Amino acid sequence: MSILTLAFKVLLRVRPSMVYQRIKQQMMDTLPFVRLLGISIDEIGAGTSAVSMPADPKLNNHLGTQHAGALFTLAETASGAAMAGGFADLILGLRPVAKESRIQYQKVAKGATRAVGRVPGDLAALKAQLKADGKVAFPVEVDIFDAAGTLAAQVQVDWYLSEKR
């Protein structure tokens, strides 16, 4: 176990917000497409996230509402943030890969949008499986809301985590 991984484990017990802030910063530093769209990771918790995207005509489709591709990127970002938050104590030694995604558009998204991600189920059980098998796969669920609070889309991203080689 690296010193940084050990530090994350200790900080998660005494100052979890510091670890989540570091994960947020790392994601924003390493995801240029997310920055290009103006997406902001607002919150990360233990298997949860809140992410937002501004209203910007450059992100619109032919109807003047948020483009489906922009919404998908918002959801994928929220799923990654929730996944990383859920595995914060181990994330430095992991190789996360989004394996599969499904999106169900409910309504057109007008104005700024926000996405809420969550890892359903038992994080401790997922971590135990990761420890036993060296890998684990699980879904992350994301709801996307527009500026009026209307549910615009529901997304599931299946993540695959394995130990770094």
Side-chain angles (χ1 to χ4, degrees):
M1 177 182 310
S2 75
I3 299 235
L4 198 51
T5 300
L6 182 60
F8 264 37
K9 285 182 180 279
V10 170
L11 278 174
L12 272 171
R13 290 193 180 126
V14 295
R15 296 281 307 266
S17 63
M18 287 179 68
V19 174
Y20 297 136
Q21 184 60 37
R22 181 65 189 120
I23 291 170
K24 268 195 318 190
Q25 189 61 53
Q26 180 67 17
M27 287 181 71
M28 293 307 299
D29 289 349
T30 59
L31 299 170
F33 186 63
V34 169
R35 286 194 318 271
L36 179 70
L37 295 182
I39 293 172
S40 172
I41 300 170
D42 302 319
E43 295 176 30
I44 295 179
T48 63
S49 69
V51 177
S52 58
M53 186 167 57
D56 185 333
K58 293 182 289 193
L59 301 176
N60 288 351
N61 59 23
H62 62 289
L63 301 174
T65 59
Q66 291 258 348
H67 191 280
L71 291 174
F72 180 82
T73 302
L74 177 70
E76 200 271 343
T77 304
S79 76
M83 172 278 300
F87 288 81
D89 56 331
L90 305 170
I91 197 69
L92 295 174
L94 297 178
R95 183 176 165 260
V97 176
K99 182 178 163 187
E100 184 176 342
S101 304
R102 288 167 294 293
I103 188 165
Q104 295 177 305
Y105 299 99
Q106 307 293 326
K107 301 272 185 182
V108 295
K110 298 176 183 174
T113 50
R114 64 183 174 86
V116 179
R118 69 202 155 281
V119 177
D122 184 359
L123 283 171
L126 292 172
K127 289 177 183 182
Q129 182 181 352
L130 175 64
K131 184 176 182 178
D133 300 341
K135 60 186 177 182
V136 65
F138 58 93
V140 176
E141 298 171 351
V142 179
D143 292 328
I144 300 174
F145 301 93
D146 73 3
T150 302
L151 180 65
Q154 294 179 298
V155 183
Q156 180 175 310
V157 179
D158 295 339
W159 283 90
Y160 174 82
L161 304 181
S162 60
E163 296 171 352
K164 282 186 180 175
R165 300 172 220 191

